[in-house]
Amino acid sequence: MTCQLYNEDCLEGMKRLADNSVDLIVTDPPFAVGLTSNGIRGTYEDLNLLRPFWELCLTEWRRVLKDGAQIYVNTDWRTYPFLYPILQKFFVPRNLIVWDLMWLKAGNFYRYTHELIIFASNGAMTRTFSPSETDIWRIRCVINRQQQKRRHPAEKPVELCEKMICNSSREGDTVLDCFAGSGTTGVACVNTNRNFVGFEIDERFFTVAQKRIDEAIAQREQSLF
Ligand SMILES: C[S@@+](CC[C@H](N)C(=O)[O-])C[C@H]1O[C@@H](n2cnc3c(N)ncnc32)[C@H](O)[C@@H]1O
């Protein structure tokens, strides 16, 4: 098993990956809508600034992904309508998974209790998970505890990434996460014996992620001996 995390813009880093070398993408890009600038809330139209980025990113995904490989992209209700048509140009959208956070988040107009996960494939795919699996996943989100703070404001539960990885890849496969944050996908890869390639542009989060992945590797090695 290999785990390679780079403190780098994924658009740059992906250029080094070989064609057809990735079996699965599990990633959680910044949602970007709802951010504020000078106290002014962003709008849906602001996402157009990101269109060139996504065109380049998905071009790379298509180059590095094997035929039939599966893709999971975390998103929210505002970003989904923007991402869908771009994604559809490159891949086959298969479903929209509703992740029930099992927790109440802030929200003026109905409290938020879910996020969305786009599920797509690189061309034709064979289902690799049970036919009884549903598209609503109930997994408790990471919450701020008094003593143990979240490692990243958007930290995802390891269990969520493990589910995507186990459903859509085999042991020894290679999983790519272009927006690694605190390294949750990397930790899930270590736990499930997959190879991991990740990129995180922010040095602080890269450091957190690298430490977390190293600890997960040490823990796994200890459990094996
Ligand atoms: C939503 S967070 C991911 C959180 C992660 N799933 C976790 O559990 O910690 C998205 C991350 O993408 C990083 N990012 C944004 N643009 C990037 C780029 N072009 N290349 C690599 N990382 C990027 C941000 O710094 C941020 O940490």
Side-chain angles (χ1 to χ4, degrees):
M1 184 194 58
T2 59
C3 276
Q4 294 161 313
L5 180 68
Y6 301 97
N7 181 200
E8 195 177 9
D9 184 335
C10 63
L11 290 187
E12 282 307 308
M14 276 195 290
K15 290 179 186 162
R16 292 193 305 276
L17 304 184
D19 295 358
N20 304 311
S21 59
V22 171
D23 298 282
L24 170 68
I25 290 178
V26 169
T27 202
D28 176 22
F31 296 165
V33 174
L35 297 181
T36 53
S37 168
N38 296 330
I40 299 165
R41 198 175 170 81
T43 69
Y44 177 77
E45 282 68 34
D46 293 347
L47 286 173
N48 287 315
L49 294 170
L50 296 176
R51 196 176 300 278
F53 172 89
W54 277 108
E55 298 268 351
L56 291 171
C57 188
L58 297 188
T59 301
E60 282 300 89
W61 285 10
R62 193 159 64 186
R63 182 183 67 75
V64 301
L65 270 181
K66 294 180 184 170
D67 290 341
Q70 298 167 41
I71 303 166
Y72 293 90
V73 184
N74 282 71
T75 188
D76 73 345
W77 61 278
R78 285 174 291 207
T79 313
Y80 177 61
F82 164 78
L83 274 184
Y84 185 95
I86 305 178
L87 198 88
Q88 200 182 24
K89 278 172 44 183
F90 293 84
F91 302 110
V92 188
R94 298 281 176 187
N95 206 339
L96 183 63
I97 295 163
V98 175
W99 168 31
D100 177 347
L101 307 173
M102 312 279 290
W103 190 253
L104 288 176
K105 290 203 170 175
N108 270 342
F109 305 104
Y110 302 115
R111 302 274 302 261
Y112 290 117
T113 57
H114 78 281
E115 281 186 19
L116 301 170
I117 302 168
I118 301 171
F119 175 59
S121 68
N122 187 23
M125 68 165 274
T126 310
R127 185 171 35 74
T128 48
F129 42 85
S130 160
S132 59
E133 279 273 358
T134 76
D135 55 10
I136 297 186
W137 295 2
R138 293 192 171 85
I139 296 173
R140 179 77 169 264
C141 64
V142 179
I143 52 174
N144 270 330
R145 290 179 204 91
Q146 273 185 333
Q147 281 163 7
Q148 193 202 338
K149 282 213 164 263
R150 269 184 301 186
R151 301 170 183 94
H152 189 289
E155 181 182 345
K156 297 295 175 291
V158 174
E159 192 188 342
L160 182 75
C161 294
E162 285 180 356
K163 184 173 170 72
M164 301 177 202
I165 290 168
C166 290
N167 279 3
S168 299
S169 67
R170 299 195 182 104
E171 286 198 34
D173 277 355
T174 298
V175 180
L176 168 65
D177 184 353
C178 288
F179 307 96
S182 63
T184 310
T185 308
V187 171
C189 282
V190 173
N191 295 349
T192 57
N193 199 25
R194 268 66 168 179
N195 300 311
F196 172 70
V197 184
F199 300 98
E200 171 51 51
I201 204 166
D202 186 311
E203 194 181 349
R204 284 166 309 153
F205 295 134
F206 166 79
T207 306
V208 169
Q210 188 63 67
K211 183 165 175 274
R212 238 183 125 193
I213 291 169
D214 289 345
E215 283 169 2
I217 292 172
Q219 235 172 37
R220 185 174 165 83
E221 280 170 358
Q222 230 174 21
S223 73
L224 293 177
F225 294 107

